[in-house]
Amino acid sequence: MTEELIVRQEGAAGRITLNRPKALNALSLDMVHGMLAALEAWQTDETVRLVIVDGAGERGLCAGGDIRALYKSGQEQDGVAQQFWADEYKLNALIANYPKPYVAIMDGIVMGGGVGVSAHGSNRIVTERTMIAMPETAIGLFPDVGGTWLLANAPGEIGTYLGLSGHRVGAQDAIYAGLADIEVTSERLAGLIDALATADYGGNAHSDVDAILRGFSISTGPAGLAAQRSEIDSVFSHDRVEDIVLAAKNLGTEWSDKLVKILLRHSPHSMKVTLAAIRKAATLSGIEEDLDMEYRLALRMFERPDFSEGVRAAVIDKTGDPKWVPAALEEVSFEMVTGCFNSLGDKELGLAPGLIR
């Protein structure tokens, strides 16, 4: 099979497999459209009782959106990137509100857009191989696909930490952070999928799916983030990135020293926008309003130099030496951040209509 997306029905399950294993199943615009079409069709198909989403290959569910394609769109100014974000965010909203059980198999690497097609689902499965991250501040962007909503609703300042640093989390940390629900050993995934597809569902498929998943779930011990919570909260409780960096410097631990180096490598503008977006997301009414906000941010930050420069340094030339503009946190003005949140006028995404912008 050479399709980028494998869509089929197996028993009671609508199955979607992201099928770009050589690209770590990175999302293309065609894949987004395929997922939207399948999910919309299955909403009213009474023979489909649940949806299962996974990734082809052994390395992960999805490493994010196809940033090479977004970079190319920026170079050619063809509008593809803007269309990608608009349709991707519509997909994220559909997943978050899906009426049937949406089971996401978050095995292996799950980053950026991969979080968007999994962490908004009703049933999110992680394994001992799971590695989840939202590393967008390292490429001049911000944790989108509803990421700011997820991060704002994480315990304490865990979400702020993950969003600014791009820190990678495993299974139990993902569950603690609210990005996943249960852990299953990877060797039992095939059996779990078969059990879900062949079950005799009653009137409430959600409760039936929950019961099946409980029979496969394990716990591999306490989350490291929980043990580190007070330290993380003390550093990331501030509302200015400069104060977060200073708090980390003053803490003077091995963890905080490494953290300072990581933060100072990332785009100063991206970090300030990310912090403001996470704080703003905590005040919003729901995922739709959050995605509307993120669409404004995506389009505005796409116009700035940091995104193309970040992708160039990380993916295109692979030099690892992005030249951020501005280059330092103190050079990023209040207006440079707040301007990203302004209304797009008739270009608004409009997932949450009727709200005051």
Side-chain angles (χ1 to χ4, degrees):
M1 292 175 286
T2 59
E3 302 94 337
E4 290 186 341
L5 200 69
I6 305 171
V7 179
R8 70 277 192 203
Q9 183 173 347
E10 294 177 356
R15 296 284 313 274
I16 298 176
T17 298
L18 310 184
N19 190 39
R20 297 181 68 196
K22 291 183 179 179
L24 269 173
N25 299 319
L27 286 175
S28 67
L29 183 57
D30 284 345
M31 292 165 75
V32 168
H33 289 165
M35 290 190 72
L36 277 168
L39 292 174
E40 287 168 353
W42 288 336
Q43 282 189 106
T44 55
D45 186 338
E46 294 184 359
T47 68
V48 175
R49 302 304 307 277
L50 76 156
V51 172
I52 303 173
V53 176
D54 62 359
E58 298 293 322
R59 298 169 63 196
L61 170 65
C62 174
D66 188 341
I67 58 174
R68 285 181 179 272
L70 297 176
Y71 176 85
K72 180 174 180 286
S73 178
Q75 300 299 302
E76 299 180 359
Q77 293 293 303
D78 57 9
V80 170
Q82 292 87 342
Q83 189 64 55
F84 176 80
W85 279 311
D87 294 343
E88 184 185 27
Y89 295 0
K90 291 172 186 174
L91 173 62
N92 302 146
L94 177 60
I95 292 168
N97 293 290
Y98 207 65
K100 298 179 180 182
Y102 182 100
V103 180
I105 310 296
M106 304 171 78
D107 185 35
I109 294 171
V110 185
M111 295 195 296
V115 174
V117 298
S118 58
H120 297 301
S122 60
N123 301 91
R124 305 160 302 174
I125 315 304
V126 285
T127 76
E128 78 282 355
R129 302 188 299 201
T130 293
M131 189 283 291
I132 301 175
M134 300 209 72
E136 288 82 359
T137 56
I139 59 166
L141 205 59
F142 68 100
D144 66 331
V145 296
T148 57
W149 176 258
L150 294 165
L151 297 174
N153 286 283
E157 297 297 337
I158 296 296
T160 315
Y161 168 45
L162 298 181
L164 291 181
S165 71
H167 177 71
R168 301 178 175 189
V169 297
Q172 290 301 310
D173 278 344
I175 293 170
Y176 178 74
L179 301 175
D181 300 302
I182 69 166
E183 182 177 0
V184 174
T185 58
S186 58
E187 64 183 16
R188 298 194 71 193
L189 286 177
L192 171 61
I193 291 171
D194 182 67
L196 289 168
T198 59
D200 184 16
Y201 290 98
N204 189 332
H206 282 283
S207 61
D208 292 339
V209 167
D210 290 344
I212 293 169
L213 294 179
R214 282 195 297 271
F216 282 80
S217 68
I218 62 167
S219 177
T220 53
L225 287 179
Q228 203 178 5
R229 166 78 181 277
S230 61
E231 192 175 32
I232 290 171
D233 284 358
S234 70
V235 170
F236 286 90
S237 60
H238 304 281
D239 290 327
R240 294 193 332 134
V241 179
E242 294 94 328
D243 294 333
I244 289 172
V245 173
L246 181 60
K249 287 180 178 178
N250 290 338
L251 195 59
T253 65
E254 182 180 356
W255 168 76
S256 65
D257 290 345
K258 289 181 180 178
L259 175 65
V260 170
K261 293 177 182 178
I262 290 169
L263 294 178
L264 294 180
R265 286 200 301 264
H266 293 178
S267 160
H269 181 259
S270 291
M271 286 201 297
K272 286 201 170 184
V273 170
T274 294
L275 180 60
I278 292 172
R279 296 290 188 255
K280 177 68 174 175
T283 72
L284 301 180
S285 62
I287 183 68
E288 294 85 4
E289 193 177 358
D290 180 77
L291 288 164
D292 283 347
M293 174 189 74
E294 290 188 354
Y295 188 64
R296 298 177 201 121
L297 299 179
L299 265 56
R300 293 268 166 55
M301 296 181 76
F302 187 60
E303 295 170 353
R304 296 185 54 81
D306 276 6
F307 175 69
S308 59
E309 173 63 6
V311 175
R312 179 206 63 77
V315 178
I316 306 301
D317 299 337
K318 298 182 179 179
T319 56
D321 63 345
K323 303 299 187 292
W324 304 124
V325 180
L329 286 167
E330 58 270 19
E331 296 172 6
V332 180
S333 69
F334 176 77
E335 291 75 19
M336 290 172 65
V337 175
T338 56
C340 292
F341 291 80
N342 291 339
S343 172
L344 296 168
D346 60 4
K347 294 182 180 179
E348 282 283 306
L349 187 58
L351 291 176
L355 292 171
I356 298 174
R357 302 297 178 193

